[in-house]
Amino acid sequence: MKIQTAEFVTSVGPTGPLPAGNLPQVAMVGRSNVGKSTLINGLTRRTVARAGAAPGTTRLLNIYRVELARRRGKLLLIDLPGYGYVRGPDATKVFDRLTRRYFMPHAAAGPNSQEGTGPACAVLLVDGRHPGLANDCDALTWLCDLELPLLVAATKMDRMKPSERTRALRQHEAALGQTVLPTSGKNGDGLNALWKALLDLTGL
């Protein structure tokens, strides 16, 4: 997939204005330190996202605008705070509040909500090396309850031997009951397949 432009737009805190407009939004959901920033940089072919200094320190919703080449359109990648390792006083409640606000049009308020347009689809990112984690399974259940189009991608697959990758992928799919796309933001493996799946979900 060729990218015309990609840029960081803004960060949103728990009470900040949520993204709205007519561009499809892709919500990137995953545990802290799962590699969302690395994957976003891999997808955009640019260093637009920076990882936090330590797992669990990012509590903001980070927005990236991507323009696809050949006039295929534009979309927003929405990097949500990671779950599972949130640091600081009241950090878990901050994470829950911001995440639920962002998904509110689908969770409760309906498509006419003024809180933002909400995501067109979601991508659940799981660490390829750690199949079947309870909080990944919980996150998938929560997303499925929203009845959002979604897909699951395993990150950091480059850190395993080929035989380990195959076994881990089978274990992920057995635990989640979903097809899992293997990816590596670092070396680009699987990113074209992930882009194809994203374009199918967003209709671009």
Side-chain angles (χ1 to χ4, degrees):
M1 174 56 61
K2 292 185 178 180
I3 307 300
Q4 188 73 24
T5 62
E7 61 180 344
F8 169 75
V9 178
T10 190
S11 294
V12 176
T15 60
L18 294 174
N22 57 3
L23 295 184
Q25 299 175 29
V26 178
M28 311 291 284
V29 182
R31 297 175 68 248
S32 297
N33 206 32
V34 75
K36 293 196 301 296
S37 296
T38 300
L39 187 67
I40 288 170
N41 290 336
L43 286 170
T44 60
R45 313 294 200 267
R46 294 160 174 81
T47 304
V48 295
R50 293 185 180 181
T57 57
T58 300
R59 303 185 198 172
L60 302 175
L61 183 153
N62 295 310
I63 304 170
Y64 304 91
R65 183 187 296 111
V66 181
E67 180 180 1
L68 306 175
R70 300 175 183 174
R71 300 182 179 178
R72 295 200 64 165
K74 301 177 183 179
L75 56 80
L76 299 179
L77 296 178
I78 311 295
D79 181 10
L80 288 156
Y83 57 81
Y85 192 72
V86 184
R87 289 184 171 184
D90 207 32
T92 301
K93 291 182 180 179
V94 170
F95 164 73
D96 287 344
R97 184 163 64 248
L98 177 55
T99 300
R100 291 181 184 280
R101 270 192 68 215
Y102 175 65
F103 283 104
M104 186 59 67
H106 293 277
N112 296 321
S113 169
Q114 298 303 306
E115 271 286 286
T117 55
C121 63
V123 182
L124 175 62
L125 302 180
V126 296
D127 190 322
R129 302 167 298 175
H130 304 298
L133 295 179
N135 47 18
D136 286 337
C137 295
D138 290 344
L140 179 63
T141 298
W142 192 78
L143 290 170
C144 287
D145 286 345
L146 296 177
E147 299 183 350
L148 263 178
L150 67 89
L151 58 89
V152 183
T155 62
K156 305 183 182 181
M157 297 299 286
D158 59 287
R159 301 191 184 185
M160 294 183 286
K161 298 177 181 178
S163 59
E164 294 173 333
R165 295 174 202 167
T166 301
R167 181 170 61 253
L169 204 59
R170 286 200 301 263
Q171 292 172 340
H172 274 295
E173 293 182 338
L176 299 171
Q178 298 270 343
T179 298
V180 178
L181 300 175
T183 68
S184 169
K186 185 176 181 179
N187 63 23
D189 287 351
L191 297 188
N192 285 335
L194 179 55
W195 263 123
K196 183 179 184 304
L198 286 176
L199 296 183
D200 288 343
L201 288 183
T202 57
L204 292 178

